[in-house]
């Protein structure tokens, strides 16, 4: 009777059958040598060992600060004044806003309190933005529905994602976007698709917003407005914005 050959345990993952035994007459599988296990190189004679380079100091990040001291027209910062009569910009002005080396496209986030002029700003440009109010009307037949905020904004982000997948060049988001946390998800998703993100900040005094809000058919309570004003944080370039446009009301003087 033929004796069975003794087998050594199989420790190789190349076959996908860990635990089987290999015949003793089969050479052992090659074991890869990883960089961490590699021996240190020996310096040739008459040459001293290279001294390890000192560890590089980490780059210090500047604290988030408003870099609004840049001159208007620099390409990164613009200052607008809300006109008394809405008017659409000329095609030449829109074309001038494009940089010589354009990315895949742009995502523009509106930032401001209710009554700060966001909707009017989009209307003057003939733009239909992705709007949380419009989405509430589509989903719940009620623009004032506030019980499903998570659902509203997750759906809004899905709509923007669909536009980015479709390579739409210009994308506008009309929401308050008060905090850095609220804006972070928009910025992260946009950049993952290779899009630049711009901010349009409506730097309008709370009292002006309250006055405008009181004249609306659908108004926000003054208490809620004041709480939103406390939460509002102006955008800064450190968040990831390639351009910030600040829109202010025309001064009385």
């Amino acid at each position: 009777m033929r004796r069975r050959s003794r087998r050594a345990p199989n420790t190789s993952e190349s076959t996908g059958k860990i635990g089987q035994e290999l015949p003793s007459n089969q050479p052992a599988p090659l074991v890869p040598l990883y960089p961490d296990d590699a021996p240190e190189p020996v310096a040739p004679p008459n040459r001293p060992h290279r001294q390890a380079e000192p560890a590089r100091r980490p780059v210090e990040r500047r604290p988030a600060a408003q870099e609004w001291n840049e001159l208007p027209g620099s390409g990164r910062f613009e200052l607008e004044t809300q006109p008394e009569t809405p008017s659409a910009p000329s095609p030449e002005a829109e074309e001038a806003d494009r940089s010589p080396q354009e990315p895949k496209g742009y995502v523009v986030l509106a930032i401001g309190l209710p009554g700060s002029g966001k909707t009017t700003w989009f209307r003057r440009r003939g733009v239909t933005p992705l709007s949380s109010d419009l989405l509430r009307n589509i989903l719940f037949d009620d623009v004032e529905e506030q019980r499903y905020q998570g659902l509203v904004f997750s759906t809004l982000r899905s709509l923007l994602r669909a536009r980015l997948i479709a390579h739409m060049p210009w994308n506008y988001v009309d929401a308050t976007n008060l905090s850095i946390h609220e804006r972070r998800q928009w910025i992260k998703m946009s950049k993952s698709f290779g899009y630049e993100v711009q901010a349009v900040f409506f730097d309008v005094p709370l009292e002006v917003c309250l006055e405008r809000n009181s004249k609306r058919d659908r108004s926000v309570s003054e208490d809620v407005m004041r709480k939103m004003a406390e939460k509002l944080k102006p955008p800064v370039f450190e968040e990831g914005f390639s351009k910030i446009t600040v829109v202010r009301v025309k001064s009385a003087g």
Side-chain angles (χ1 to χ4, degrees), residues 32-208:
L33 182 64
Y34 296 97
D36 292 341
D37 300 329
E40 296 184 0
V42 179
N46 303 326
R47 287 190 181 180
H49 286 279
R50 286 187 66 186
Q51 294 183 354
E53 295 183 1
R56 295 183 178 180
R57 296 180 59 185
V59 179
E60 297 182 359
R61 295 181 58 87
R62 292 182 297 173
Q66 296 182 21
E67 296 183 1
W68 292 359
N69 56 346
E70 296 193 19
L71 295 176
S74 63
R76 297 188 71 207
F77 179 81
E78 296 293 339
L79 181 62
E80 294 185 8
T81 301
Q82 294 181 352
E84 298 178 358
T85 304
S87 60
S90 63
E92 292 77 9
E94 291 289 340
E95 186 65 26
D97 289 337
R98 297 177 180 268
S99 58
Q101 297 179 350
E102 293 187 355
K104 290 184 178 179
Y106 303 87
V107 174
V108 181
L109 297 185
I111 301 168
L113 296 171
S116 59
K118 299 186 299 297
T119 303
T120 303
W121 188 87
F122 286 117
R123 188 183 300 124
R124 290 203 320 267
R125 284 157 175 75
V127 171
T128 302
L130 298 176
S131 166
S132 54
D133 286 347
L134 177 62
L135 195 55
R136 289 188 189 95
N137 199 29
I138 293 174
L139 294 176
F140 316 116
D141 299 327
D142 184 0
V143 73
E144 298 184 16
E145 177 59 71
Q146 299 291 327
R147 291 178 298 172
Y148 306 101
Q149 291 290 85
L151 177 60
V152 168
F153 284 95
S154 64
T155 305
L156 203 60
R157 283 190 291 272
S158 296
L159 291 176
L160 176 60
R161 181 183 178 87
R163 289 182 60 87
L164 301 183
I165 292 174
H167 305 290
M168 302 304 293
W170 285 92
N171 306 272
Y172 300 86
V173 179
D174 182 7
T176 55
N177 292 314
L178 301 177
S179 68
I180 294 175
H181 174 73
E182 293 171 355
R183 301 189 289 256
R184 184 178 297 127
Q185 297 185 60
W186 298 107
I187 297 171
K188 183 178 179 181
M189 179 172 64
S190 302
K191 286 183 172 292
S192 69
F193 281 88
Y195 279 65
E196 282 190 6
V197 189
Q198 301 180 3
V200 181
F201 175 54
F202 294 81
D203 188 19
V204 179
L206 174 59
E207 299 306 320
V208 174

Side-chain angles (χ1 to χ4, degrees), residues 4 11 24 87 115 142 144 182 188 195 209-210 231 246:
R4 296 182 58 185
T11 58
S24 59
S87 60
D142 184 0
E144 298 184 16
E182 293 171 355
K188 183 178 179 181
Y195 279 65
C209 295
L210 287 172
K231 187 179 178 182
V246 178

